[in-house]
Amino acid sequence: MYKTPGAWYGSRNLLADTMVTNRFQVISFDRPGYDKPSFSGKHMTVTSINSQAAAIHEALRLNRSFKKGIIVGSSYGGPIAAKIAIDHPGEFYHLLLLAAAIDPDKEKFWWFNKYVHHGPLKWLLSRFLRAATNEKYTHVKELSMLAPNWASLTVPVTAVHGEADKIVSPANLDFAKKVLAGHNAMHVLFPCRVLATLVRWQSAAMVRTLLLEAPAE
């Protein structure tokens, strides 16, 4: 599950990694509103975590092995991956959160966001960026709605973050520790500049290791 904005090919390094593909069937997809998919027959932004989780779960049914798998989410894909794991715990043996944006109090806004979201510049941007901006303005509400659901998560979790991440605050890892207290969870803070937007590329070996060594229940 990728960041915002992004597309399925953001995971192409994992799709080409034979150490991963020899062990797993890797399923990568576009979230509603990005790249190719349409929603209700239209190319539109889908900002609801619940709606995205439901739609993406249908894509994950392409798993024909009927074995439990690992669900991975980076940046804003993190809370959506978590929602799927919460709703369908019997289908996964691990949840991997890569620099996940999960704390509603740590949503980062840039100086230009309001001009893009409300101003005429919006229509000069790609559909990817318009969708990302629309989604950003619902993050706080959506993450706040998700917050009570973390207590229902039963799938083991690994949450990782770069301590100098300027895109998604490392404080999100503190939030993970709080909402997952008492759960089977491992939290890793890397002493380097691992950006949420590039974590799968900057730290590809780390991601591979986490996938291959992810503990089951």
Side-chain angles (χ1 to χ4, degrees):
M1 191 98 50
Y2 55 81
K3 62 185 180 61
T4 297
W8 69 268
Y9 45 77
S11 296
R12 61 187 180 276
N13 59 327
L14 293 178
L15 293 167
D17 188 331
T18 56
M19 292 182 67
V20 175
T21 57
N22 286 343
R23 171 81 176 276
F24 300 103
Q25 175 192 11
V26 182
I27 301 173
S28 184
F29 43 81
D30 290 322
R31 288 201 284 120
Y34 297 93
D35 203 27
K36 302 300 183 183
S38 61
F39 194 80
S40 298
K42 299 178 180 179
H43 289 294
M44 58 183 291
T45 306
V46 180
T47 60
S48 164
I49 289 177
N50 289 342
S51 295
Q52 293 201 54
I56 289 164
H57 179 254
E58 288 300 304
L60 293 178
R61 293 176 65 185
L62 292 171
N63 171 20
R64 303 303 185 190
S65 71
F66 303 105
K67 296 179 180 179
K68 287 187 177 183
I70 301 174
I71 186 163
V72 184
S74 65
S75 189
Y76 196 53
I80 299 170
K83 177 60 175 171
I84 296 172
I86 290 167
D87 290 345
H88 306 280
E91 299 179 19
F92 307 99
Y93 70 85
H94 208 87
L95 167 64
L96 176 57
L97 299 175
L98 303 174
I102 58 177
D103 186 345
D105 293 329
K106 300 301 178 183
E107 179 64 31
K108 184 178 181 65
F109 286 87
W110 304 90
W111 64 268
F112 54 82
N113 285 140
K114 63 181 180 180
Y115 298 106
V116 171
H117 186 59
H118 300 292
L121 291 177
K122 179 176 182 177
W123 303 108
L124 299 177
L125 301 176
S126 68
R127 183 163 55 86
F128 264 36
L129 292 177
R130 291 200 304 273
T133 301
N134 291 337
E135 196 172 48
K136 173 171 277 296
Y137 274 82
T138 66
H139 278 189
V140 173
K141 177 183 176 181
E142 289 293 321
L143 293 177
S144 296
M145 292 170 59
L146 178 66
N149 291 269
W150 288 99
S152 302
L153 181 64
T154 59
V155 176
V157 184
T158 298
V160 301
H161 221 108
E163 68 175 6
D165 194 328
K166 302 301 183 184
I167 305 296
V168 178
S169 170
N172 280 274
L173 196 63
D174 296 325
F175 181 83
K177 293 177 181 178
K178 180 176 69 176
V179 296
L180 296 173
H183 289 64
N184 184 356
M186 179 173 68
H187 308 278
V188 182
L189 182 66
F190 282 85
C192 58
R193 188 172 181 265
V194 180
L195 295 178
T197 50
L198 297 172
V199 63
R200 285 165 297 175
W201 292 89
Q202 289 182 317
S203 302
M206 173 199 72
V207 174
R208 179 200 300 128
T209 299
L210 290 171
L211 288 171
L212 297 178
E213 299 182 0
E217 297 138 305

